[in-house]
């Protein structure tokens, strides 16, 4: 028998899980290029009045319900929905990397000697590839393959070594994206902060998420590294979509700050502290949930765990345990939730906002200040 206190805790968690499921269950998880539409957009559109329906009867195919405009895609709700989904991608990728030791040799220039030129890549601008690290060799080769199948034609994808890539396979059709997703003014849409991302990943993030030492799993390590790097790159460069959306909501305000060279003012205007706090709490909770084995409840009198009720009760109990664990300063598991929260607080969010500032300056016709260059962070990541 469960004690009354534990039973109450379990019931409370069960109610929370069921209520949450009613609101969010089976949310779309399709991988798409570009920000994703909020799940309730089609419902909102379908609630239009009969008069509205008649007014739009002459739209393409006579059906406006499924029409998605650039304004829809660039809405902050749409972008935030995409960013929330990316949290799982990042956390699971970090969990995969954390199972290996640090394996520092894979990041060392020439650590495995002269590995030659990655297959299919353009020649090295410096004239030689003999000092490539194992990670660089694998990352360039991966990007060559992905470039060939059009990955980097997407406005949300950014290569770490664009100078080594030739282009997409000509046998594949060209992918068309809305031309007004991002602005090309001043080269704003082409901003790429992967140089500082790669540097900080090796110097700061890898020590945060892995134990010291070498387990000889070097190939698996760099493959896991590449998955993390690509997920982080996609996440921070979504700052350009956020910046464009915020600019469109107040173009005069941002133009005035940029004309005055007020980078701090731009940063203050685009910052939403309430949303950032929610991101940190959510990331920590997800890390606590995904970073531990599911709780298997003992037999409980009157509860048949082979039925839905038992499964939901077990899920609710696991959620309670994850919540408790997330509140601890440090916890055991596949990944420490405090580390994930710190990663978002000290790196992902600040770098995303640096990209937003750089984009907005270029969007408004000026070069960003030096501290917002793609080879550094405006706030040092310790």
């Amino acid at each position: 028998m469960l004690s009354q206190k534990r039973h109450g805790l379990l019931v409370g968690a069960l109610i929370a899980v069921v209520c949450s499921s009613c609101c969010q269950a089976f949310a779309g998880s399709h991988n798409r290029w570009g920000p994703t539409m909020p799940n309730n957009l089609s419902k909102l559109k379908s609630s239009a009045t009969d008069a509205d329906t008649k007014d739009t009867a002459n739209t393409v195919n006579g059906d406006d319900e499924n029409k998605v405009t650039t304004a829809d895609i660039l809405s902050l709700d749409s972008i935030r929905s995409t960013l929330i989904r990316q949290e799982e991608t990042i956390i699971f990728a970090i969990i995969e990397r954390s199972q290996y030791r640090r394996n520092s040799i894979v990041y060392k220039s020439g650590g495995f000697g002269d590995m030659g030129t990655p297959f299919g890549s353009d020649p090295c601008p410096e004239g030689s590839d003999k000092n490539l690290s194992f990670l660089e060799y694998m990352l360039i080769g991966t990007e060559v393959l992905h470039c060939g199948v059009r990955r980097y034609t997407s406005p949300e994808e950014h290569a770490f070594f664009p100078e080594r890539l030739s282009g997409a396979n000509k046998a594949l059709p060209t992918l068309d994206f809305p031309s007004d997703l991002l602005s090309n003014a001043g080269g704003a849409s082409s901003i790429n902060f992967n140089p500082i991302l790669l540097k900080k990943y090796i110097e700061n993030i890898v020590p945060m998420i892995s134990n010291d030492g070498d387990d000889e799993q070097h190939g698996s390590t760099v493959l896991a590294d590449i998955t993390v790097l690509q997920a982080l790159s996609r996440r921070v460069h979504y700052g350009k979509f956020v910046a464009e959306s915020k600019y469109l909501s107040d173009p005069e305000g941002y133009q005035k700050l940029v004309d005055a060279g007020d980078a701090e003012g731009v940063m203050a205007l685009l910052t939403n502290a309430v949303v950032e706090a929610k991101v940190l709490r959510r990331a920590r909770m997800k890390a606590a949930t995904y970073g531990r084995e599911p709780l298997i409840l003992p037999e409980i009198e009157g509860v048949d765990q082979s039925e839905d009720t038992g499964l939901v009760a077990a899920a609710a109990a696991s959620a309670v345990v994850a919540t408790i664990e997330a509140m601890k300063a440090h916890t055991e598991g596949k990944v420490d939730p405090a580390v994930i929260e710190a990663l978002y607080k000290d790196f992902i969010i600040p770098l995303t906002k640096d990209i937003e500032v750089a984009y907005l300056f270029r969007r408004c016709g000026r070069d960003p200040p030096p501290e917002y260059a793609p080879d550094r962070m405006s706030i040092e990541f310790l």
Side-chain angles (χ1 to χ4, degrees), residues 160-211:
F160 284 84
F161 295 94
E163 70 280 1
R164 307 299 301 270
L165 308 179
S166 297
N169 189 315
K170 292 181 173 55
L172 297 173
T174 301
L175 295 175
D176 293 324
F177 298 94
S179 60
D180 51 353
L181 277 177
L182 296 171
S183 171
N184 290 319
S189 63
S190 62
I191 288 173
N192 187 334
F193 272 61
N194 278 342
I196 188 61
L197 170 55
L198 180 59
K199 181 175 185 292
K200 293 298 183 181
Y201 177 77
I202 295 172
E203 294 179 356
N204 300 91
I205 298 177
V206 170
M208 290 174 63
I209 64 176
S210 63
N211 294 322

Side-chain angles (χ1 to χ4, degrees), residues 304-347:
D304 182 0
Q305 295 194 46
S306 65
E307 297 181 355
D308 290 345
T309 302
L311 294 175
V312 173
S318 293
V320 172
V321 173
T323 301
I324 295 172
E325 290 294 315
M327 296 304 105
K328 295 180 180 179
H330 297 283
T331 186
E332 295 295 326
K334 299 174 184 176
V335 64
D336 188 345
V339 169
I340 299 299
E341 181 183 27
L343 179 61
Y344 266 85
K345 180 181 178 181
D346 300 328
F347 180 72

Side-chain angles (χ1 to χ4, degrees), residues 231-286:
L232 290 174
S233 176
R234 187 180 305 110
R235 169 58 173 82
V236 298
H237 284 101
Y238 256 78
K240 293 194 284 189
F241 293 104
V242 176
E244 178 66 15
S245 178
K246 291 187 175 181
Y247 172 83
L248 293 176
S249 69
D250 187 11
E252 293 181 359
Y254 283 107
Q255 187 69 56
K256 182 178 179 180
L257 290 168
V258 170
D259 288 342
D262 187 0
E264 291 184 2
V266 172
M267 179 69 79
L269 185 57
L270 62 82
T271 296
N272 188 328
V274 174
V275 170
E276 290 179 12
K278 289 180 180 179
V279 170
L280 297 179
R281 289 197 300 270
R282 190 170 57 242
R284 184 167 184 143
M285 282 290 300
K286 287 180 178 179

